[in-house]
Amino acid sequence: MSSEEVRTHSGLHVVKGAAERVLGAKKTASVYVSGRHGRLAVQFERRPTEEEMRSVEKEANEKIAEGAEVLEFEMEKSEAEGHFGDAIYDLFPLPPGATRLHIVRVPEWNVNCCNERHVENTLQIGKIKLGKARYRNSKRELEIEFDLAD
Ligand SMILES: [Zn+2]
């Protein structure tokens, strides 16, 4: 992953936290990063309004501007589940037999088990701009695209 992609990938965690806060979307179905472009699909039951998506963008950018710490640590799977419940899991499976998990946490915003590289502080992500949201009724998935704007 290039350093730009580390920023974009870290942006996914912040956008996910904003989507959870604004829409109540808890589970990520898939993620994609290429250069300055990121996309995540979250499980959701309806098409969001434009106003809601503007809110997701605003909340994400406010969190970035706050300069929140991005914490990374390892934990036993059972201990992590005790602390965070199933919030750390996405809809795609863990590697089989995993007993220690790499956890990424933006305090009071997002916690996820994730093996990618991340920035240390959300300020390093820089401003993001959301693209058009796409809702797939058949899959009950909302696709949120964004680009690094700085
Ligand atoms: Zn990650």
Side-chain angles (χ1 to χ4, degrees):
M1 234 182 355
S2 68
S3 62
E4 207 159 54
E5 287 180 330
V6 171
R7 289 169 58 207
T8 307
H9 172 82
S10 304
L12 287 172
H13 287 268
V14 176
V15 171
K16 169 68 198 316
E20 183 163 358
R21 177 165 291 222
V22 174
L23 304 169
K26 292 188 190 310
K27 288 289 173 191
T28 302
S30 64
V31 293
Y32 171 80
V33 167
S34 176
R36 304 167 66 85
H37 185 72
R39 182 176 71 220
L40 81 158
V42 294
Q43 197 172 49
F44 199 52
E45 66 287 340
R46 63 176 172 81
R47 187 176 297 280
T49 65
E50 280 181 27
E51 193 184 346
E52 283 173 322
M53 293 314 296
R54 275 196 297 274
S55 237
V56 170
E57 183 179 76
K58 180 169 172 283
E59 296 261 350
N61 277 315
E62 282 176 3
K63 193 65 191 178
I64 288 168
E66 209 177 89
E69 275 188 295
V70 182
L71 308 166
E72 293 188 64
F73 47 93
E74 284 209 354
M75 252 182 157
E76 290 299 317
K77 186 169 181 270
S78 55
E79 196 189 351
E81 287 173 356
H83 271 275
F84 304 116
D86 71 355
I88 53 174
Y89 295 126
D90 295 312
L91 295 175
F92 37 91
L94 287 179
T99 56
R100 271 187 88 72
L101 302 180
H102 193 85
I103 309 280
V104 178
R105 182 166 174 251
V106 181
E108 285 156 45
W109 195 259
N110 175 252
V111 61
N112 229 231
C113 99
C114 182
N115 288 319
E116 298 287 356
R117 286 167 54 213
H118 303 85
V119 299
E120 290 172 8
N121 186 293
T122 56
L123 274 178
Q124 293 167 260
I125 298 166
K127 201 171 181 341
I128 59 155
K129 176 103 187 84
L130 251 57
K132 205 170 159 53
R134 208 176 293 117
Y135 184 66
R136 295 186 197 282
N137 208 18
S138 58
K139 296 165 100 177
R140 295 271 184 269
E141 274 179 23
L142 170 63
E143 269 185 19
I144 305 171
E145 305 212 41
F146 68 92
D147 288 285
L148 298 182
D150 287 343

